[in-house]
Every structure is written in C-alpha cells, then in structure tokens.
Amino acid sequence: MSKESTVLNVIRVSAMTGVLVDHFLVVIVGGGKYVENFSLWLGAVSVSIFFVLSAYLFGQKWRKGDCKPFAAKEFMTRRMKRIYVPLWLTILFIVPVQYLLTQEPDVTTILLNIAGMCWLQPFQCAGHLWYITMMVLLYGVFLFFSYVRADKVPPALWMAGLIGLAVVFAIKNDFFNSVSRSVPLLCVVLTGPIFFQGEELVAYCRNHGRSIWSASALLLTLSMAFWLSNGYDHHKGMLLLSAYSAGAVLFLAILAGARTTRESRLIGHLAERSYEIYLIHLPILELAHKYTENVICGVMIGIVCTYLLACALQNVSKKDS
C-alpha cells in the first residue's frame, strides 16, 4: 500500500470517528446546548472531509485516465451498487428499530429511503442517512465534472466562488437557513477544485506546510467559535460553510503533511468498513439510549454492536455485489 493510500485511510477513519463522537454526544451523553453545538460542528467538519475525499479520489482517477469522461453507465452502476446494497441491508435492520422506538413504521419513509432519497423523509432513528442522498447527487456532479475541462481554472476563481457563496448565504440567510438548500451548492464549490486540481493543491500545501496548518487551525477555531456562539437554528448556511471550508483545508493539510509510511492493519480494517459503520451506528445508539440508563454502558454497547454489525453488513454486501 502506498504512503498516500495509508494516509487516506487514516483520514477516512478519523472522519468516521468524528461522526461517531458527534452522535454519541448527542444521543447517549447529552450535556446542554454547548455540547450539542460542538457535536454538530464536529459532525459537519467530519462529513465535509468525506465529501472532499471522494472528490480527490475520483479526480485522481479522472486525471489518470487522461481526463477522459467517465463512462456514464459503468460509473453510476458501480457507484450505486456500492451505495445501495449496504443501504438496503441496513434498512432491514432500521425498520424494526423504528418500530421499537416509535411503533410507527411509515411506508412512504421506507420507500423513499430504499430509493436513496433519505433526505426527503428520514427515519427518526436514522436521520444521518441524508448523507446517502448527498453522495448520490455528488456522484452525478463528478460524472458531469469528468466532461468539463476545468482543470485549468485558477484556484483563485474557485476561492472567489466560495466567497461569493458566503455573501449570498449572508444576504439570503432566511432562504439558506436549511441544510438541503445550502449543502449541495457548498459541496459543488468545495469539491470542484479538489476534483480538478487535487494533486496540485496537495503539492502546494506540501510546499507551504506551516502556513497551511496555521490556516487550518485558524479556520477550525473560528468555525467552532461561530458554532458555539450561534444556535444551529440560525445562520445554517454560514455555519455549514465555515465548517465545510475548515474540513476541506484540514483534509489537504493532513494529506500534504503526513509523514507516516507504515501501514496499520487496524486502520486499514476500519477504513474498509467505514461506510458500513456509518450506516449502522445511529440506530444502534438510539436503541442503547432507550434501553440502557448508564452512559458508559450505553457507549460500550454502542461501540461493540456497531463494529460487529458493520462487519456482518460488509460481509453480506460483498456476497450480494
């Protein structure tokens, strides 16, 4: 395994851990508004890293193919199979959990989630599946990107687009005070330069290591302060823009600055199952929260059951695909 692949696995597992900590804090631990806002910020930064990581990998594949457009049918078929098979198996677990928690399994919700439109009507115990809808949209965006030779667009123009988006979010705060309205636009603007010029950006960051790490630390600090001082119900667009931008810069800083070449079996093992862990963890946490009173016990049950079910889910998914 190459050094870059090892580092990408570390990034993938770190982002997955951030999402897990976010949901553990919200569902199991609790602790008031500041804890909730911190956990939401951590989750937003972590999810943004998954988005830009996907952009980097698909952009790398596009450049290695001499910047030729992806074969649409083959590209989308492979992506959908990877997303949907584990998702459908997870839904088989989520439906009875939903029944245990609310005793109201809604047919429309089930059908929409089976179709991957989890964002439109999420399960009460699995609201995190909005990520699936966003990834389906992003795969369509990456396919479109592969037909556009925007690899010569100066990074400054992408930065100007991000600044322009921030201005729009600020002026139209009421309209963009919604995840569904702000995140798609934000992801297109952030993943574009990483898809088209990811390797060049990493090389630039490697040559300006201290400056990039300083910028990353500053963005993370300012973003976290912004989230802690503002309720999540207000300024969603600007809050998400700050967290996603910080996550994108942190991704580049880690990828450019990592020195390790040692392959960790544990990291590789968890990275290979990161998608399944993401899918299955939240309904397990909701069950642990409902049926355990001790926080430590709930956390331990959540960790062990999430890992075991994620391994089983991955094994079955591989056979089905």
Side-chain angles (χ1 to χ4, degrees), residues 82 86 89 269 271-274 276 308-321:
R82 174 64 183 122
L89 292 171
H269 178 80
E272 190 177 355
R273 292 156 179 80
S274 59
E276 288 77 12
L308 293 176
L309 284 176
C311 289
L313 180 61
Q314 193 216 28
N315 289 335
V316 177
S317 299
K318 278 187 173 181
K319 291 179 182 178
D320 289 346
S321 58

Side-chain angles (χ1 to χ4, degrees), residues 17 116 120 163 168 177-178 186 214 242 261 272 277 294 296 308 319:
T17 302
L120 300 180
I163 294 172
V168 172
N177 191 36
S178 161
L186 187 53
S214 297
S242 72
T261 57
E272 190 177 355
I277 290 172
N294 185 279
I296 296 176
L308 293 176
K319 291 179 182 178

Side-chain angles (χ1 to χ4, degrees), residues 169-181:
F169 281 2
I171 294 175
K172 297 292 185 180
N173 177 63
D174 290 340
F175 181 80
F176 287 105
N177 191 36
S178 161
V179 175
S180 60
R181 290 175 179 172

Side-chain angles (χ1 to χ4, degrees), residues 139-306:
Y139 287 147
V141 170
F142 296 156
L143 179 61
F144 172 76
F145 280 170
S146 73
Y147 283 84
V148 180
R149 289 304 303 266
D151 49 312
K152 302 301 181 183
V153 174
L157 285 183
W158 290 104
M159 180 63 70
L162 184 62
I163 294 172
L165 192 61
V167 172
V168 172
F169 281 2
I171 294 175
K172 297 292 185 180
N173 177 63
D174 290 340
F175 181 80
F176 287 105
N177 191 36
S178 161
V179 175
S180 60
R181 290 175 179 172
S182 55
V183 167
L185 286 173
L186 187 53
C187 283
V188 170
V189 174
L190 281 175
T191 60
I194 293 177
F195 179 94
F196 289 115
Q197 299 172 322
E199 291 170 344
E200 292 88 340
L201 288 172
V202 170
Y204 177 86
C205 292
R206 191 170 287 126
N207 293 330
H208 300 81
R210 290 185 179 180
S211 299
I212 297 302
W213 278 110
S214 297
S216 177
L218 179 62
L219 284 172
L220 287 167
T221 302
L222 292 175
S223 175
M224 182 172 63
F226 188 27
W227 279 71
L228 292 178
S229 61
N230 289 272
Y232 186 60
D233 294 332
H234 308 286
H235 311 294
K236 272 195 182 77
M238 291 300 294
L239 288 167
L240 290 165
L241 186 145
S242 72
Y244 278 41
S245 300
V249 175
L250 178 61
F251 166 79
L252 291 171
I254 296 174
L255 187 55
R259 295 285 184 262
T260 182
T261 57
R262 180 188 298 178
E263 178 184 352
S264 167
R265 289 186 178 181
L266 177 60
I267 294 295
H269 178 80
L270 293 174
E272 190 177 355
R273 292 156 179 80
S274 59
Y275 177 54
E276 288 77 12
I277 290 172
Y278 181 88
L279 288 175
I280 205 73
H281 79 279
L282 191 53
I284 290 175
L285 293 186
E286 294 287 0
L287 279 177
H289 175 64
K290 182 176 177 65
Y291 293 106
T292 60
E293 296 181 358
N294 185 279
V295 171
I296 296 176
C297 182
V299 170
M300 294 305 297
I301 290 174
I303 291 173
V304 173
C305 291
T306 294

Side-chain angles (χ1 to χ4, degrees), residues 53-67:
L53 172 60
S54 293
Y56 180 80
L57 290 174
F58 285 111
Q60 193 176 60
K61 180 180 179 180
W62 178 68
R63 287 188 295 277
K64 286 181 178 178
D66 296 325
C67 301

